[in-house]
Amino acid sequence: MYPKDTAYDVAATTPAPSGLVLPSYKRDESSHPALDTEEYNSTHLRAPQQPLQVLPHYLTEVTGPLLGHDRVGETDHDLTAQHAGEPLGERIIVSGRVLDSDGKPVPNTLVEIWQANSAGRYEHSGDRHPAPLDPNFSGTGRCLTDSDGFYKFITIKPGAYPWRNHDNAWRPAHIHLSLFGQAFTQRLITQMYFPGDPLFYQDPIFNSVRDPKARERMISRFDLDTTVPEWALSYKFDIVLRGREATPFEDDEEDDD
């Protein structure tokens, strides 16, 4: 699992001291957000200030841990069924496929999500937004893609929330997604948004992806065909790992907003 904004080339990879050959890729700033974005204030503190140091990867980093079916619980994909009661808010279905640059499905990939509740609050000690917590909603889930690269979650549509980045700043409703390859060193993170959100124009995180077409790839699409009558609306969100149609991914340190 590596974003392929430029051609992935095994010959261009650097052998680790153990003799392992580790894939790498070049970061495409037009589709991926910059590490330090002027309008996104907290990136000024998070972005590296010194040259990056290459750390050696040995067998443990490359091959472990195992992220298989035994790591996923029966209700992990259904965020509305993880507590004694049902959570408040609009029930939705979020599904799609994880694909490579040539449209080939990526099977057995661990997909994790986390999000705010319907009132726009995370179940996290650092979230001080004066909105109610929902005792029946934790806001986290995970599943494995099937042989066709398909994943599916049942959840509650998250609410917008203020975040003090600038005057009257509000984050558009969004869901965080994390994808793992075969190890923790192969992790990609993105955010899924909802169509027609009026807060897009003033959100520096969404707009840190400079390419308008790339921003569109972060917006899910409503899908009536997979909407369940009288139960839940459905949104489709395909995740393309590499190539010109790649989904924009963020730096691991930016995943808490």
Side-chain angles (χ1 to χ4, degrees), residues 28-204:
D28 182 355
E29 300 297 345
S30 67
S31 60
H32 294 295
L35 296 178
D36 189 350
T37 302
E38 181 179 356
E39 300 87 356
Y40 183 4
N41 292 338
S42 59
T43 61
H44 306 331
L45 300 176
R46 294 172 174 172
Q49 302 298 317
Q50 301 295 328
L52 298 180
Q53 301 295 314
V54 178
L55 299 178
H57 288 180
Y58 296 96
L59 190 62
T60 300
E61 287 79 18
V62 176
T63 62
L66 296 177
L67 305 171
H69 288 275
D70 58 337
R71 301 281 182 169
V72 179
E74 183 178 354
T75 62
D76 282 1
H77 75 289
D78 188 348
L79 284 67
T80 69
Q82 297 173 353
H83 296 272
E86 289 195 70
L88 299 174
E90 178 188 349
R91 185 190 297 109
I92 61 172
I93 300 166
V94 174
S95 64
R97 300 178 72 199
V98 179
L99 304 169
D100 212 329
S101 56
D102 57 359
K104 181 181 178 180
V106 181
N108 302 315
T109 292
L110 181 66
V111 182
E112 297 181 314
I113 66 171
W114 63 99
Q115 63 170 92
N117 64 20
S118 61
R121 186 170 178 181
Y122 290 94
E123 189 185 52
H124 190 283
S125 60
D127 190 343
R128 301 300 182 183
H129 173 33
L133 288 171
D134 188 338
N136 292 312
F137 190 74
S138 299
T140 58
R142 58 184 174 177
C143 70
L144 284 175
T145 57
D146 66 13
S147 59
D148 293 320
F150 181 78
Y151 75 91
K152 178 181 177 180
F153 291 99
I154 301 170
T155 186
I156 297 297
K157 190 172 183 179
Y161 57 83
W163 65 301
R164 300 181 180 179
N165 180 79
H166 54 274
D167 183 51
N168 204 13
W170 288 78
R171 292 278 359 255
H174 62 279
I175 296 176
H176 300 263
L177 294 98
S178 164
L179 291 87
F180 280 102
Q182 300 302 312
F184 282 132
T185 56
Q186 301 172 3
R187 187 189 187 200
L188 297 172
I189 299 172
T190 190
Q191 296 185 20
M192 185 201 89
Y193 297 87
F194 295 88
D197 197 305
L199 295 172
F200 285 151
Y201 80 96
Q202 60 83 65
D203 183 51

